[in-house]
Amino acid sequence: MRRPAAFLTLLLLPSLLFAWGEKGHAIANEAATHAVPTELPTFFHRAYFDLAWLGYEPDRWRGAGASADAAKAPDHFLDWEYVSHLELPRGRWDYVDLLHASGTLRRYGIGSDTPGFAPWRIAETSEILTREWRMWRREPEGAHKSRIEQNIIGLAGILGHYVADASNPHHATIHYNGWVGDPARGFRNDCQTHARFESVFVANHVDLGDVVPRMREPELREDYFATGVALIRESNGMLERLYELDRDGAFDALPAIEGGTEFAAERLAIGASVLRDLWWSTWIASGRAERGGR
């Protein structure tokens, strides 16, 4: 049985700290640890409390300053409606060039960073994590290897934040904080739906035990970027269901209305499953021959 004490320690923190919010990210990272293949090194299995804690870390960076906030904020989302017609390149700056060349920015009257960069952040972090794993394999026991282990835990935990964000439909759409456009379906546009779902509702109605049983079977993810894009696309496909539940009060009623907890737990479980897969896949990839480069 995986260390329930680690997660219980998180739950003992003041509830106001749990702003997908802090509790949601802790749950996603903690759930991922429950199915990590045993072949990963022992130090990784011993770091589950740190991995859970680090799930919220990129949100703790908010407010650091204008430069950091402007650079980091778009890594948390990809508004799929802006880019669904494009063949997305693997390079972040190739993507920005494509947004210009395709006329997408002009068509929507938006800036280069408006659509977001979540799949690129997931791929970049996974690639660096693979590299750190590879260095760990080669490094003899000693202080340097211990330092690499710290880097691996830090990267793995932070990767969880962006994967969990990508599993949330609000992070995959222009309708990220209220429905934009035709009001005929009665979807809410009160600019509270984002916090109502991912923070307040999850803090009160979703727990680790709701998420772990819903996790998918492990899958080796050899293409990190395609994994990030597929997760965003899947989340966007769940958007109308999210807004239907929100319209019907599923995320603001006490006690919870049927369907709300199930929906939130399912999305967190999908994020946790993909995160677990990426942890495992980066370890497997690190054992292969490294490709040359400049």
Side-chain angles (χ1 to χ4, degrees), residues 45-294:
H45 293 278
R46 288 175 174 167
Y48 288 152
F49 177 85
D50 290 333
L51 289 167
W53 171 256
L54 286 164
Y56 191 64
E57 190 69 4
D59 279 350
R60 296 187 185 105
W61 301 338
R62 295 181 188 275
S67 297
D69 286 350
K72 299 300 184 183
D75 285 350
H76 296 252
F77 62 88
L78 178 66
D79 293 347
W80 186 246
E81 294 87 353
Y82 288 137
V83 303
S84 61
H85 63 293
L86 299 174
E87 186 71 30
L88 298 176
R90 296 174 182 277
R92 182 185 288 244
W93 306 120
D94 292 335
Y95 161 60
V96 171
D97 287 344
L98 178 61
L99 290 175
H100 285 275
S102 65
T104 299
L105 302 182
R106 183 174 60 254
R107 181 180 311 116
Y108 293 107
I110 57 177
S112 300
D113 61 347
T114 301
F117 297 108
W120 290 269
R121 186 63 157 96
I122 290 170
E124 292 157 6
T125 306
S126 297
E127 289 169 359
I128 296 169
L129 181 56
T130 303
R131 178 63 175 165
E132 290 284 346
W133 278 124
R134 187 171 286 125
M135 290 190 289
W136 183 88
R137 288 177 182 271
R138 296 172 179 172
E139 187 69 29
E141 293 298 328
H144 289 171
K145 189 158 193 164
S146 296
R147 181 59 198 169
I148 294 170
E149 291 174 359
Q150 294 176 40
N151 291 346
I152 287 170
I153 297 307
L155 285 165
I158 287 169
L159 174 62
H161 185 94
Y162 299 105
V163 174
D165 274 354
S167 73
N168 182 345
H170 278 138
H171 287 256
T173 181
I174 60 174
H175 307 282
Y176 61 88
N177 200 18
W179 191 261
V180 178
D182 184 6
R185 300 180 68 178
F187 293 161
R188 288 165 149 182
N189 59 3
D190 60 357
C191 295
Q192 297 298 318
T193 179
H194 197 125
R196 183 166 52 240
F197 169 62
E198 74 163 30
S199 297
V200 178
F201 179 80
V202 169
N204 286 283
H205 295 296
V206 183
D207 291 306
L208 184 66
D210 300 312
V211 174
V212 172
R214 291 178 163 87
M215 290 183 65
R216 297 173 175 176
E217 290 298 313
E219 179 181 345
L220 195 61
R221 309 277 184 165
E222 302 204 3
D223 190 327
Y224 307 145
F225 178 69
T227 295
V229 172
L231 184 55
I232 285 286
R233 185 188 300 116
E234 178 183 351
S235 293
N236 182 267
M238 299 303 298
L239 182 67
E240 292 196 8
R241 178 56 178 157
L242 170 64
Y243 271 93
E244 288 169 355
L245 286 164
D246 188 52
R247 175 195 62 200
D248 296 340
F251 304 126
D252 58 6
L254 295 173
I257 289 176
E258 182 179 358
T261 296
E262 292 78 4
F263 182 88
E266 178 68 22
R267 297 316 305 165
L268 283 167
I270 288 169
S273 298
V274 173
L275 176 60
R276 180 270 325 277
D277 292 348
L278 287 171
W279 287 345
W280 176 43
S281 300
T282 56
W283 165 252
I284 294 296
S286 73
R288 300 174 186 149
E290 189 171 10
R291 291 178 295 180
R294 68 174 190 169

Side-chain angles (χ1 to χ4, degrees), residues 2-37:
R2 303 276 187 185
R3 312 125 317 279
F7 189 74
L8 287 173
T9 301
L10 288 172
L11 293 182
L12 291 174
L13 294 173
S15 61
L16 289 177
L17 287 178
F18 296 134
W20 284 320
E22 187 161 0
K23 184 180 178 183
H25 279 293
I27 289 175
N29 275 31
E30 176 74 2
T33 71
H34 279 248
V36 173

